[in-house]
Amino acid sequence: MTNPNDPKWILSSSPHVFQGDTTARIMWQVVAALTPAVVWGVYAFGWRAAWVIGWCVAGAAAAESGALRLRGRPNALADGSAVLTGLLLGMNLPATSPWWMALLGGVVAIGLGKQVFGGLGQNPFNPALVARVFLLISFPVAMTNWAVPGGALADAVTAATPLGAAKTAVATHGALGDALAGIPWWKLFVGLQPGSLGEVSELLLLVGAAYLLWKRIIPWDIPVAFLGTLVLVTGAAWLGAPAKVVPPWFHLVTGGAVLGACYMATDMVTSPLTARGRWAFGVGCGLLTAVIRLWGGYPEGVSFAILLMNATVPLIDRFTKPRKFGWVPDAKGAAS
Amino acid sequence: MAARTFPLGGVHPPDQKHLSAAKPVEPAPLPDLLVVPLSQHIGAPARPVVKKGDRVLAGQAIGEAVGFVSVPVHAPTSGKVLRVEPAPHPLGPPQPAVIIEPDGDDRWADDLEPLTDPHGADPDEIRQRIQAAGIVGMGGATFPTHVKLSPPPEVKIDTVILNGVECEPYLTADHRLMLEEPDRILAGLRVILSVFGLDKGYIGIEENKPDAIELLGRKAREQGFAEVVPLAVKYPQGAEKQLIKAITGREVPSGQLPMAVGAVVQNVGTAAAIWDAVSVGRPLVERITTVTGEGVAEPRNLRVRIGTPVRHLIELAGGLRGEPGKLILGGPMMGIAHHDPDVPAVKGTSGVLLLPRDRVRTAPEGPCIRCGRCVDACPMGLAPTTLRTLIAHEMVAEADEWNALDCIECGSCSFVCPAAIPLVQAIRYAKGRVMARRRKGG
């Protein structure tokens, strides 16, 4: 028998057992959950989609490594967070994006979106969305050059997104007319539509989200509150003016609603801590998305909505403090 | 019907009870040396009443209670007092202890008379007897039992709950006690009920012990004064406030004791010890301890004399297995890691847990990613990551506002943290700072 005196027993405070999930495992599982939609993007828009994502990830990884080196911190690429940011940014870009724009976006996402605030866990805004909005306002033409899905061969055909086409029709003719005619919603749902290379297949995005929900990596309340509010508000507007407003189910299956609600608004770092807070956050995202889409100058509003709601998270956290156990309103000195 | 449980938070650590759940309790042979600390309870340590060279008999008081929140300490067997000096202690730095060399005869002192009518005795007589027998809460917190049974006159106790939850992973001492000695437990419960003039009590047991629920449930029905309540398997189901909430629906107000909602909770082992004290006149000199973990060769449940060095218990469990990692007194969620196997088992030692090195997490602390898992896991409705950030900046008043003092230190937050942040440790520190500030600021 080993002499119990011999070993150097490890001393540390309780608890002595742990659930086993790590930050890296969480990040890489989100990457894995996004893979089906990414593969679809490459299938639908050709290898240039993979090229765009590759440059985004490269830019994000380079900025992460460089910034950590400058700050004298250990390299943290293995935690997967920078790769995930690069991947998400790539999914938010048109497949026709030039390589330098993707690379710049990756660098901006990590540099301006994350490391300036102190790195992982410190950034108030979703880094991928910071970069996307930066690119959108800097290079508006390149950022709205939407390819038509059709496999690697059809690489020259571009068209407006369904939401963009609808917006243009209303702006020029005062009504939707036949802007959406002949587009069955299921075609949009499986991903046969122009749009950002990773957002077009709601079906595959939901498959990945279901996996993350099952693994309890993303909360269900943010996507449900986000998409539910979007449907309610756009639904009310549609009922009021069906000739001018896109029906609510089109709002769900086009644009970045599902990608944003399931993968960007649920970013742990930039969303509230408590269930009540997550509800408020999700409702806010859905509401702002609807307002921008219905009345804004842009056909799409998901990025702006999430970024604006990111700014409210410290406030939401403050006002949605968990309800503590043993809180009795009338007990003297007990309530606080 | 879903089993009852508490409403907020909670976690599900793998319970690992299979290692020892089927091992009947066996008496641990006496070691060569007993180290009996004079402080084995919350409150004033006992004052020694023996000195070097004295001969003592089992059950003889070797330390006397100092005040109300204090209990005496008794010799666990007959033998010679070698020394009275500071010795390793399970709760931290060395504490004064009586070191006894057993003579092997295990002769008992006969000065404690059993109460003639244990179930009809005067409540004050019962409380005195319980204190004289040195009985403390045996679930691990070691609060003197007679104090819990002495609420102020204006407080009306209407609910007595026995805690048979045993929600700490690995531990099976209470489980074995419930299976092997249900009558002692029920008799003890009846004594506690008589103190408050009640005719019915509850026994809460987690559903991962169906045999105990069945056996105690049947006996309770037969005897008519107890009801077994099956509870969902969720840590920390055995925490006092969580247990009361699950069974009665009442929420103990923040900063107050269970008596504020008319409840008294006692561990099942404590109830059995109470019965021994009033029916046989036997003071608390032994307890059941689970010696377990993947780091020990043959996990066992042992009936251990107080003061037995842990080294002896490890030997009785077949010695170490694998590369040694941690030696823990108590369970893996709230137990304390030790480096010295000479530390003795005491009245609150529910388990000796040995974890091999590959079961010990050594990952460095990473940055908080605000995943909120600690918030979801906290059974007290706190925001552990916020508290940790506040106290890291020495924002003590804010930590108080965010209810640091309500933390029950169950460790659920640290358990779930993917960034390996020592959250419960930070909050423990915060509690100390908040209390210091309150004392100073009034």
Side-chain angles (χ1 to χ4, degrees):
Chain A
M1 168 196 146
T2 319
N3 181 352
N5 270 342
D6 290 342
K8 288 270 178 280
W9 295 104
I10 299 170
L11 288 183
S12 69
S13 173
S14 62
H16 308 285
V17 288
F18 301 93
Q19 195 165 57
D21 246 353
T22 62
T23 301
R25 267 187 59 179
I26 291 173
M27 297 295 170
W28 288 114
Q29 285 197 81
V30 180
V31 170
L34 286 167
T35 305
V38 169
V39 170
W40 174 265
V42 174
Y43 166 76
F45 300 113
W47 286 109
R48 60 195 167 178
W51 180 249
V52 170
I53 287 178
W55 280 109
C56 285
V57 171
E64 177 97 339
S65 301
L68 289 173
R69 177 179 279 259
L70 282 176
R71 295 172 57 210
R73 301 291 170 93
N75 193 306
L77 274 189
D79 73 19
S81 65
V83 171
L84 176 57
T85 294
L87 181 64
L88 280 169
L89 172 63
M91 294 177 77
N92 273 284
L93 299 184
T96 55
S97 304
W99 68 269
W100 55 266
M101 203 175 84
L103 177 68
L104 177 64
V107 171
V108 166
I110 296 297
L112 271 181
K114 176 175 168 188
Q115 286 294 340
V116 289
F117 296 104
L120 182 62
Q122 306 289 315
N123 49 295
F125 299 102
N126 185 303
L129 290 179
V130 168
R132 178 176 187 272
V133 168
F134 162 76
L135 295 176
L136 183 62
I137 53 185
S138 307
F139 312 104
V141 177
M143 281 295 284
T144 49
N145 188 20
W146 308 110
V148 174
L153 299 176
D155 67 342
V157 187
T158 60
T161 65
L163 284 175
K167 185 137 241 157
T168 310
V170 174
T172 49
H173 310 297
L176 282 172
D178 55 1
L180 295 178
I183 310 179
W185 69 270
W186 64 263
K187 250 186 141 170
L188 305 180
F189 181 67
V190 297
L192 294 166
Q193 58 178 319
S196 296
L197 69 89
E199 75 179 18
V200 292
S201 178
E202 276 66 35
L203 173 66
L204 294 176
L205 288 169
L206 288 174
V207 167
Y211 171 78
L212 295 179
L213 280 170
W214 174 55
K215 288 282 176 188
R216 293 173 185 258
I217 286 174
I218 59 169
W220 61 272
D221 26 33
I222 289 177
V224 167
F226 190 152
L227 298 175
T229 306
L230 178 63
V231 166
L232 280 180
V233 178
T234 57
W238 174 69
L239 286 175
K244 289 187 179 181
V245 175
V246 177
W249 52 88
F250 266 76
H251 278 286
L252 280 187
V253 295
T254 65
V258 170
L259 178 63
C262 298
Y263 298 92
M264 319 278 285
T266 53
D267 170 25
M268 297 164 177
V269 173
T270 56
S271 62
L273 279 174
T274 68
R276 281 191 303 153
R278 291 192 294 261
W279 268 101
F281 179 81
V283 168
C285 287
L287 193 63
L288 289 175
T289 301
V291 166
I292 297 169
R293 282 187 179 186
L294 291 170
W295 295 290
Y298 288 93
E300 170 63 298
V302 170
S303 303
F304 297 110
I306 296 174
L307 284 172
L308 287 170
M309 287 309 294
N310 284 161
T312 69
V313 165
L315 205 62
I316 291 179
D317 275 343
R318 174 161 286 263
F319 285 105
T320 54
K321 219 163 141 176
R323 173 208 169 279
K324 83 168 173 183
F325 185 95
W327 187 84
V328 182
D330 293 329
K332 187 175 50 157
S336 62
Chain B
M1 192 186 78
R4 286 190 248 177
T5 187
F6 56 96
L8 290 172
V11 295
H12 296 92
D15 79 7
Q16 302 301 95
K17 305 227 185 209
H18 63 275
L19 296 174
S20 57
K23 306 285 179 66
V25 177
E26 297 168 88
L30 284 168
D32 299 337
L33 217 62
L34 288 164
V35 177
V36 187
L38 287 157
S39 175
Q40 296 191 52
H41 51 267
I42 292 173
R47 181 189 300 133
V49 293
V50 292
K51 58 184 190 310
K52 182 177 172 176
D54 283 358
R55 296 245 154 224
V56 293
L57 295 173
Q60 175 188 332
I62 54 177
E64 62 183 9
V66 179
F68 181 57
V69 187
S70 182
V71 295
V73 171
H74 303 82
T77 185
S78 58
K80 190 171 109 183
V81 174
L82 291 186
R83 310 179 280 283
V84 179
E85 65 177 24
H89 192 276
L91 293 182
Q95 297 267 336
V98 178
I99 320 275
I100 296 171
E101 182 180 43
D103 58 18
D105 298 341
D106 202 24
R107 270 191 303 128
W108 282 77
D110 51 9
D111 51 357
L112 277 178
E113 282 290 315
L115 298 185
T116 42
D117 176 13
H119 292 305
D122 176 65
D124 280 331
E125 199 181 346
I126 293 173
R127 291 188 192 103
Q128 272 165 23
R129 169 54 60 91
I130 287 171
Q131 181 179 21
I135 296 176
V136 300
M138 291 170 75
T142 66
F143 191 77
T145 299
H146 68 278
V147 181
K148 263 192 175 180
L149 300 184
S150 311
E154 70 274 13
V155 170
K156 176 93 187 85
I157 299 297
D158 62 8
T159 306
V160 169
I161 299 170
L162 288 195
N163 188 346
V165 174
E166 202 166 49
C167 61
E168 273 276 9
Y170 288 96
L171 304 187
T172 55
D174 287 347
H175 186 187
R176 291 312 308 181
L177 177 72
M178 290 189 283
L179 285 181
E180 297 178 31
E181 301 184 79
D183 294 322
R184 261 175 85 210
I185 294 170
L186 286 166
L189 172 59
R190 220 172 129 202
V191 172
I192 300 169
L193 290 170
S194 76
V195 169
F196 299 110
L198 300 173
D199 48 22
K200 192 186 159 197
Y202 300 90
I203 307 173
I205 306 175
E206 264 188 339
E207 279 187 318
N208 58 1
K209 298 176 260 295
D211 46 359
I213 292 174
E214 200 279 322
L215 177 66
L216 263 179
R218 181 158 47 79
K219 296 219 170 235
R221 275 192 302 278
E222 282 165 15
Q223 303 188 15
F225 60 85
E227 178 188 337
V228 168
V229 183
L231 299 166
V233 181
K234 184 166 74 166
Y235 178 88
Q237 185 65 70
E240 207 163 55
K241 292 183 176 185
Q242 276 64 30
L243 181 59
I244 293 168
K245 176 76 178 181
I247 290 187
T248 70
R250 300 177 200 165
E251 210 162 297
V252 179
S254 173
Q256 298 189 44
L257 296 171
M259 65 166 86
V261 293
V264 162
V265 179
Q266 296 286 352
N267 174 265
V268 287
T270 315
I274 287 174
W275 178 243
D276 291 351
V278 299
S279 67
V280 198
R282 175 161 295 187
L284 180 55
V285 296
E286 64 179 19
R287 68 157 297 139
I288 301 172
T289 296
T290 306
V291 187
T292 186
E294 292 80 1
V296 79
E298 297 158 36
R300 291 174 86 174
N301 289 295
L302 295 169
R303 187 178 301 283
V304 174
R305 295 292 167 95
I306 303 304
T308 303
V310 162
R311 170 205 313 283
H312 184 66
L313 300 177
I314 297 173
E315 281 164 21
L316 290 173
L320 300 176
R321 195 177 71 171
E323 194 186 348
K326 270 187 180 177
L327 162 61
I328 296 154
L329 289 202
M333 293 301 288
M334 291 187 76
I336 297 177
H338 283 265
H339 69 279
D340 183 359
D342 283 331
V343 67
V346 294
K347 292 173 183 176
T349 307
S350 48
V352 175
L353 174 60
L354 293 128
L355 295 181
R357 193 160 276 260
D358 57 17
R359 291 219 163 222
V360 178
R361 177 163 81 171
T362 48
E365 176 182 344
C368 172
I369 54 170
R370 290 178 42 88
C371 64
R373 291 182 184 194
C374 56
V375 183
D376 290 339
C378 180
M380 296 306 288
L382 309 182
T385 182
T386 307
L387 279 168
R388 174 239 184 200
T389 307
L390 291 172
I391 207 63
H393 294 94
E394 279 291 327
M395 295 167 76
V396 181
E398 288 79 1
D400 195 357
E401 261 169 55
W402 281 79
N403 308 314
L405 291 187
D406 283 279
C407 172
I408 58 171
E409 303 182 24
C410 68
S412 297
C413 50
S414 294
F415 173 78
V416 296
C417 181
I421 299 169
L423 290 162
V424 67
Q425 293 85 332
I427 301 173
R428 220 177 267 147
Y429 170 77
K431 285 170 79 174
R433 301 283 292 123
V434 168
M435 281 194 288
R437 179 176 173 277
R438 282 194 178 183
R439 276 196 299 272
K440 213 165 65 183

